[in-house]
Amino acid sequence: HGGAGLKSAAMSEASNHDTRVVEEIRALFRREEYDSVVSRTAKLLRLHDTDPPTPGSPRVAVASPGPAQVLSYARAAALIHLRKYDDAVAALAAIAPPMHPDAASLQVSTAATFAQAYALYSLGKLQDAHRTIIDLRTAHEKNGTGDGPAKPNPLYRHFEAQVLYRRGMYAEAAEVYSQLLDMQDEHVREARAATT
């Protein structure tokens, strides 16, 4: 009986610590202190890697993104801001896709994949960037949010067009831009229909 209370208190303290760490990293981002984000997340990732998982800990549960996944993404985002794209790609590669995804882990995984495509694009690795954004777009449209297929994401399509253009695939880029215009027209029609 008393053990359950101690476990609950320990989990609450861990949750409070995680919240403080997230707020600290957000504050560093707001102040555009990207070098500090990189060093702080690297330190936290080293601590996380040496901390053995315990039964019932959040690291054992795979339903939500683990601390390492979130820290790796924050580190990669800061590296992108610092234009250290090779390092960002390496940090993003460390983020494993969730085995049993929920909304939070999918959000981190999706953001990491998009950031990886952007970093590859910035490095001039256009074929890899194109493959990454196509995989992300296809997964998004196929899987949606669990309620069936999703509508195409205009951000993914726009980025895909940019990659195609930089690859010299002008006709393909124009086709994607045409599809984006069609999506916009459909959105306007839906909005008008909803207001009448």
Side-chain angles (χ1 to χ4, degrees):
H1 191 284
L6 288 175
K7 182 177 177 182
S8 177
M11 290 179 73
S12 176
E13 178 60 31
S15 176
N16 289 338
H17 178 264
D18 290 347
T19 301
R20 286 191 304 270
V21 167
V22 168
E23 288 307 315
E24 175 188 349
I25 292 172
R26 280 187 182 146
L28 292 171
F29 265 103
R30 280 192 295 273
R31 293 189 308 262
E32 299 181 8
E33 296 178 18
Y34 304 119
D35 285 316
S36 296
V37 172
V38 171
S39 62
R40 180 74 172 122
T41 55
K43 179 181 174 184
L44 291 166
L45 283 165
R46 279 191 305 276
L47 290 173
H48 178 77
D49 286 343
T50 60
D51 184 25
T54 56
S57 75
R59 286 182 22 177
V60 173
V62 293
S64 62
Q69 187 182 29
V70 173
L71 290 170
S72 294
Y73 175 69
R75 183 172 184 273
L79 288 164
I80 287 171
H81 280 284
L82 294 168
R83 294 192 165 118
K84 295 180 179 181
Y85 302 115
D86 282 320
D87 294 337
V89 169
L92 291 162
I95 300 175
M99 291 176 52
H100 304 289
D102 65 354
S105 58
L106 276 175
Q107 184 178 8
V108 171
S109 180
T110 299
T113 303
F114 187 81
Q116 184 175 27
Y118 178 80
L120 290 165
Y121 173 85
S122 298
L123 287 167
K125 297 180 179 182
L126 302 177
Q127 189 171 355
D128 292 337
H130 190 209
R131 186 175 326 116
T132 302
I133 197 65
I134 291 290
D135 290 348
L136 179 60
R137 178 180 58 82
T138 303
H140 168 78
E141 292 172 8
K142 177 183 169 196
N143 299 327
T145 58
D147 301 337
K151 290 185 177 183
N153 183 318
L155 176 64
Y156 301 160
R157 298 298 288 167
H158 182 256
F159 186 72
E160 180 183 352
Q162 285 182 288
V163 173
L164 288 166
Y165 187 85
R166 275 228 13 233
R167 288 185 70 192
M169 303 171 77
Y170 304 117
E172 292 88 343
E175 176 61 29
V176 173
Y177 280 124
S178 177
Q179 292 169 5
L180 279 167
L181 289 172
D182 292 344
M183 288 167 54
Q184 181 63 31
D185 288 345
E186 181 182 337
H187 178 71
V188 169
R189 282 192 301 275
E190 288 174 358
R192 284 185 183 150
T195 60
T196 57

